[in-house]
Amino acid sequence: MSEQPRRGDAGAPGRPARLLARFAPAWRLREVRRGFAGSLLIALGALTPSYLPRSSPFWKLYGNNQSLATSLPVAMAGTALTMAGLLLLVDAWFRLRPPDPAGSHQSTRTGGPGMPAVHYGAVFVIWAAPLLVAPPIFSHDAYAYAAQGWLLHNRINPYDVGPGYLPGAFADQVDWLWRMTPSPYGPLSLTINQILVVACGFRPYLAAWAMRLPALLGVVLIVALMPRIARRMGADVGFTWWFALLNPVLIISFLGGAHNDALMVGLVVLGLWCAFWPGPARWPRLSGWWWLAGAVVIGVAASIKQPALLAAYVLPLIVRPWATWQRRDVLITAGRVAASLVVAVGTFLGVSFATGLDLGWLGSVVVPGRAMSLAPSRLLGAGLQWVADRLAPGPSHAAVVGVTETVVAVIGVLIIGVLALTVARRKPLTFLVWGYLVTALAGPALRSWYVQWCVTLAPLADIGRRTIRIAVWGTLVMLGFDAVSVAWTNSAVSVGVAAMVAFAWLAWTHDPWVRPHRFHRASTGVPA
């Protein structure tokens, strides 16, 4: 029997050749090319001047003719391109659903009935490529990040004032709604923004585009580690790739929108991986204790965006579940959880004070709620205020929304507390998924990238068919809301509404193809 080629042998294909070998069959698949076309159309639609700041170099495409660039035909055309791209991307996503995993729980390849198998990672890169070079899409948050970094560079605390406090090109990029609002983000996020502003030579638009780099780092962590965690848990790797990583919301919002949530979630996934990692063989005594390193990572993630701290609770429970209510078991679990929280919070506070920004974000946590969204508290409060105004008009009814948001937030905290004492005991990652969902729903604002916190981790949770089906439809609803917001910005609501009708029809048509199923998952610790 001939010896197989080893690394370094002349006959062994190099890493670039192996990577290329994955992309070629993926590109030959029609569904993959359809998704790429969708991403490309979305990127082209993002060039609509009515959605770009004046500092954008893309204005030159219109000869700096402002009347032409901001005309309704141009806005309608850009919106139509975006909507068409969304439809193509979502359609391709549904068509690349994984086959029934009954035969194998370790597949990293896709292929429905009658489809050749291709590597999911290659599909992800192909779909994401157009959005990496496009302007920030579906949101102006990246421009706000750049303006906040500019404030910090000028020794102005973004927790005290909004970007409009320092007039100029950076402030002009920011949406008018956020121009005078302080930042609600973590201190490390603001520091990264400042570093990128300096690295880009204080060029406003380039700095905004560069905000995609930390988001890209977060996505790389997610893509690299989520399949590994799924494999270690015995969860279906193919479903993890399809539902969490090829998800249009992750590609569009995390990469295309350059949101700092991407880096937060990526660091959370890294922290979870530390808990699952047995460690190097030369340090056997540390095996089972790497979750403490994960707690440090979670603390860093919280300094990007604060909801990451919830993951610190589950790290020790991944290694040693809370099996019983016996006194000894309760004390051991409480001590380990307390240690994880102390390390994570201590890291968060250390980063906060090291940046010099301290805890100034506490005064601006409600800032995201100033914009209309699908947040249950905002919708309920607005409805109650409307009823109160009809019954007895008066200015005092404006406080109804604030009261409703507070009540819903308290209810959310109580729900998470109950889940922490019940579900988290044996199914820590299931608790984390539900906990992030409750956090997103109970907040003053609800965005598609907030929902992606739990969607990214959902394949690791013990959830059933109906829940997965609801999650798929919920993902599409949030994506549709973002699309209509873009159409509104471009004064092309009719195009957006028409596209959403087609969007709903497309989802309904594909619904029988999506066969959510209950996966067997290890609910206790790291498998041997």
Side-chain angles (χ1 to χ4, degrees), residues 30-98:
R30 180 177 59 184
E31 287 74 13
V32 175
R33 296 197 303 271
R34 180 175 301 174
F36 174 80
S39 294
L40 184 60
L41 289 179
I42 294 172
L44 293 175
L47 301 180
T48 307
S50 57
Y51 198 65
L52 289 171
R54 283 306 306 270
S55 61
S56 168
F58 294 105
W59 277 79
K60 297 179 181 178
L61 296 174
Y62 299 86
N64 289 319
N65 187 335
Q66 183 172 0
S67 60
L68 171 64
T70 57
S71 64
L72 183 59
V74 171
M76 295 281 283
T79 305
L81 286 174
T82 303
M83 300 302 115
L86 269 176
L87 292 171
L88 286 174
L89 183 59
V90 172
D91 179 65
W93 181 57
F94 273 120
R95 291 179 183 275
L96 288 182
R97 73 201 183 285

Side-chain angles (χ1 to χ4, degrees), residues 36-362:
F36 174 80
S39 294
L40 184 60
L41 289 179
I42 294 172
L44 293 175
L47 301 180
T48 307
S50 57
Y51 198 65
L52 289 171
R54 283 306 306 270
S55 61
S56 168
F58 294 105
W59 277 79
K60 297 179 181 178
L61 296 174
Y62 299 86
N64 289 319
N65 187 335
Q66 183 172 0
S67 60
L68 171 64
T70 57
S71 64
L72 183 59
V74 171
M76 295 281 283
T79 305
L81 286 174
T82 303
M83 300 302 115
L86 269 176
L87 292 171
L88 286 174
L89 183 59
V90 172
D91 179 65
W93 181 57
F94 273 120
R95 291 179 183 275
L96 288 182
R97 73 201 183 285
D100 190 336
S104 173
H105 289 270
Q106 304 300 329
S107 175
T108 61
R109 295 176 176 267
T110 180
M115 288 187 187
V118 296
H119 199 279
Y120 274 124
V123 179
F124 178 86
V125 173
I126 291 171
W127 286 4
L131 300 181
L132 289 176
V133 297
I137 59 174
F138 280 32
S139 169
H140 277 181
D141 281 9
Y143 302 109
Y145 299 164
Q148 290 159 4
W150 174 241
L151 284 178
L152 197 56
H153 176 74
N154 286 276
R155 299 186 179 182
I156 301 173
N157 194 330
Y159 291 143
D160 296 332
V161 298
Y165 181 83
L166 189 62
F170 279 94
D172 291 343
Q173 289 190 139
V174 182
D175 188 280
W176 65 268
L177 185 62
W178 311 115
R179 200 165 291 177
M180 301 306 297
T181 57
S183 173
Y185 305 121
L188 182 58
S189 180
L190 296 179
T191 303
I192 292 174
N193 296 345
Q194 179 190 6
I195 293 172
L196 291 174
V197 166
V198 175
C200 291
F202 309 106
R203 291 188 283 266
Y205 177 78
L206 182 60
W209 180 90
M211 298 302 154
R212 185 171 282 130
L213 297 178
L216 178 60
L217 173 60
V219 171
V220 168
L221 289 172
I222 295 170
V223 170
L225 298 179
M226 275 291 295
R228 287 174 168 82
I229 295 175
R231 186 177 291 109
R232 183 167 288 274
M233 291 182 63
D236 186 78
V237 179
F239 177 74
T240 300
W241 266 107
W242 178 76
F243 183 71
L245 308 180
L246 287 184
N247 193 298
V249 176
L250 182 142
I251 294 174
I252 292 173
S253 292
F254 276 14
L255 279 180
H259 291 284
N260 54 15
D261 303 72
L263 182 55
M264 181 200 81
V265 176
L267 290 172
V268 167
V269 172
L270 176 58
L272 296 177
W273 168 245
C274 290
F276 282 97
W277 188 46
R282 63 179 179 273
W283 294 340
R285 293 185 178 180
L286 294 180
S287 180
W289 288 94
W290 288 101
W291 55 270
L292 285 171
V296 174
V297 177
I298 297 302
V300 175
S303 64
I304 299 293
K305 213 160 186 179
Q306 299 83 346
L309 281 175
L310 187 63
Y313 179 82
V314 309
L315 293 178
L317 300 179
I318 291 174
V319 180
R320 184 187 184 279
W322 181 359
T324 70
W325 284 96
Q326 294 181 1
R327 181 180 178 182
R328 181 176 180 276
D329 197 27
V330 171
L331 290 177
I332 292 176
T333 301
R336 292 164 70 94
V337 168
S340 180
L341 292 173
V342 167
V343 170
V345 173
T347 301
F348 170 63
L349 293 176
V351 173
S352 299
F353 290 110
T355 60
L357 293 170
D358 302 338
L359 301 178
W361 55 269
L362 286 171

Side-chain angles (χ1 to χ4, degrees), residues 411-504:
I411 294 175
V413 171
L414 293 176
I415 292 175
I416 291 175
V418 172
L419 293 175
L421 297 176
T422 54
V423 175
R425 289 177 53 206
R426 296 180 180 272
K427 301 175 182 179
L429 291 183
T430 301
F431 157 77
L432 188 59
V433 170
W434 288 117
Y436 276 144
L437 180 61
V438 172
T439 301
L441 294 177
L446 180 62
R447 311 292 179 196
S448 58
W449 47 94
Y450 297 176
V451 178
Q452 192 62 33
W453 305 341
C454 64
V455 169
T456 300
L457 302 175
L460 307 180
D462 187 13
I463 53 180
R465 299 186 176 197
R466 181 176 299 178
T467 304
I468 294 174
R469 188 176 187 184
I470 293 173
V472 170
W473 277 91
T475 298
L476 298 179
V477 168
M478 295 304 302
L479 193 59
F481 179 79
D482 288 343
V484 172
S485 297
V486 170
W488 181 280
T489 303
N490 280 338
S491 301
V493 178
S494 59
V495 177
V497 172
M500 288 308 100
V501 173
F503 201 72

